Each structure stands twice: as C-alpha cells, then as structure tokens.
Amino acid sequence: MKFIGIVGTNSDRSTNRKLLHFMKAHFADKAEIEVCEIKSLPAFNEPKDKTPPSTVKELSDKIEDADGVIIATPEYDHSITAALKSAIEWLSYTTRPLINKCVMIVGASHGSLGSSRAQAHLRQILDAPELKARIMPSSEFLLGHSLQAFDENGDLIYHDKVKELDECFDEFILFVTLTNELLKKAKFNTEQNKKFSWKQAAEEGAL
C-alpha cells in the first residue's frame, strides 16, 4: 500500500514531523509512506476560477494516487494549526481529493494530552460535504510529552506507544482494504460528490 503522510504544521521543530518519519521507517515492510509538507502552500484565498496553485495541485495529485492519508496534527489553542486548515481549505475548494479517501489521524504534543482536542476538531472538518473523507473510526494515536519521545536517530523511545502505534497502523491497513473494496463494489459517485455546491444545495432546498 502507498500512503501520504501530511505534516500538519509549518514549524521546523515539529515532533509531528518526527512521528511521521518514524512511521515511514518503522512500517516500511507494511506500506510505503511519503511524508509531505505544507510549508510551501500559500494562504488560502478562494480563487474565482477554483484553480489551485501548483504546490496545492502537486499535493492533491499525491493524495489522489495514494491508498490512504495519514495526517499528523499538533494542537494550537485547542485546535489544528492555521497552516493545516488553510491546506485543507485549498483541497476542499478546488480539487477535492479527500472525498472517499481513507484517513488516519495521529498527533503529538509537548503536553500530556497528545493533541486530543485538535484531533477531534480535525475529524469534524474532514466530515464536511466538500471533503467527505473516510476517517478511521474508534482509533486515536495520541503522543504526549513528545519533546522527549524520540532519540537522536528519530526512533520513538516510549515502548508502550510503539506497541499502540503498531496496533493502530494494522487497523488502518485493514480499514483501507475493506473501505476501498466497499467503495469499489458499491460504486459511490465520488466524481459527483466533487461537484457539490452550497449554492446549488441552497437553490434546490428553496424549490
């Protein structure tokens, strides 16, 4: 399987980036994970023609081609970062590659909660009509005290969290396999969902 791992921040010192790179190496025998940055994406500005910038299109194409997406989110003020929200807004407003795409959410934080509130908020966002991602249910990977969690080689040193991450990742692989097979058989109209418009929905609701 091929997954895209999205670093949910533009911070150079992010432990969420370290977490994704650890996952890439640790699960190399189970899946290929390409870690993608959002640093180069411009702030969302709602282009009239809905054409994404080249950097957004590049990320979108990678998501389209992947079997699933892993988003590593920190927690800023009880929510996700402005940079991640902007990246998601670009995708939802233009190409909509996350529709029916399987998503696993993980998160690391300097405190003890491991980005739990940000992860809950991200789940709500990804359920919006313009996104409609298939989010892995009943599974959270929360890495607290992340500043001390990695050694000089980038390995996660909390053995209990490594075991927990192993279980979560195996569940995600199964979730992706079953969900993609279901989507294939049920023939959900992904392309029609990509054309969703609030204006059209409002007009139809007024009839």
Side-chain angles (χ1 to χ4, degrees), residues 7 11 25 60 106 131 134-135 142 147 165 174 190 196 203:
V7 181
S11 169
S60 175
V106 299
L131 292 162
R134 301 285 172 168
I135 311 155
L142 310 171
L147 285 175
L165 185 58
L174 179 59
T190 301
F196 172 83
E203 290 174 348

Side-chain angles (χ1 to χ4, degrees), residues 110-173:
H110 299 177
S112 60
L113 297 180
S115 78
S116 60
R117 289 165 293 200
Q119 290 198 33
H121 191 195
L122 182 55
R123 284 177 179 271
Q124 286 184 303
I125 293 169
L126 292 175
D127 199 37
E130 299 92 334
L131 292 162
K132 279 192 174 180
R134 301 285 172 168
I135 311 155
M136 184 168 70
S138 307
S139 182
E140 291 181 313
F141 181 75
L142 310 171
L143 180 63
H145 305 292
S146 59
L147 285 175
Q148 300 83 33
F150 300 93
D151 64 19
E152 62 275 9
N153 297 317
D155 292 324
L156 182 57
I157 63 174
Y158 300 155
H159 298 298
D160 58 330
K161 300 304 290 187
V162 173
K163 181 179 179 182
E164 181 184 339
L165 185 58
D166 287 342
E167 293 172 353
C168 287
F169 194 75
D170 286 343
E171 287 179 11
F172 185 56
I173 288 178

Side-chain angles (χ1 to χ4, degrees), residues 3 5 10 27 38-39 41 47 63 71 73-74 91 99 107 118 133 153 156 183 186 188 191 200:
F3 299 141
N10 54 14
F27 297 122
I38 59 174
K39 288 188 200 181
L41 305 188
I63 292 172
I71 302 178
T73 179
L91 297 174
I99 288 180
N153 297 317
L156 182 57
L183 290 169
F188 285 89
E191 292 305 317
Q200 181 180 348

Side-chain angles (χ1 to χ4, degrees), residues 19-29 31 33 35 153-155:
L19 175 57
L20 282 177
H21 280 287
F22 170 75
M23 293 176 68
K24 176 180 179 177
H26 186 66
F27 297 122
D29 61 335
I33 301 175
V35 179
N153 297 317
D155 292 324

Side-chain angles (χ1 to χ4, degrees), residues 12-59:
D12 291 329
R13 300 176 295 156
S14 173
T15 52
N16 283 277
R17 181 180 295 105
K18 289 184 178 180
L19 175 57
L20 282 177
H21 280 287
F22 170 75
M23 293 176 68
K24 176 180 179 177
H26 186 66
F27 297 122
D29 61 335
K30 296 182 179 181
E32 176 188 345
I33 301 175
E34 180 181 356
V35 179
C36 296
E37 300 282 353
I38 59 174
K39 288 188 200 181
S40 63
L41 305 188
F44 177 67
N45 63 6
E46 197 172 314
K48 289 183 179 180
D49 60 359
K50 295 193 175 185
T51 299
S54 59
T55 50
V56 175
K57 182 64 164 59
E58 181 181 358
L59 177 61

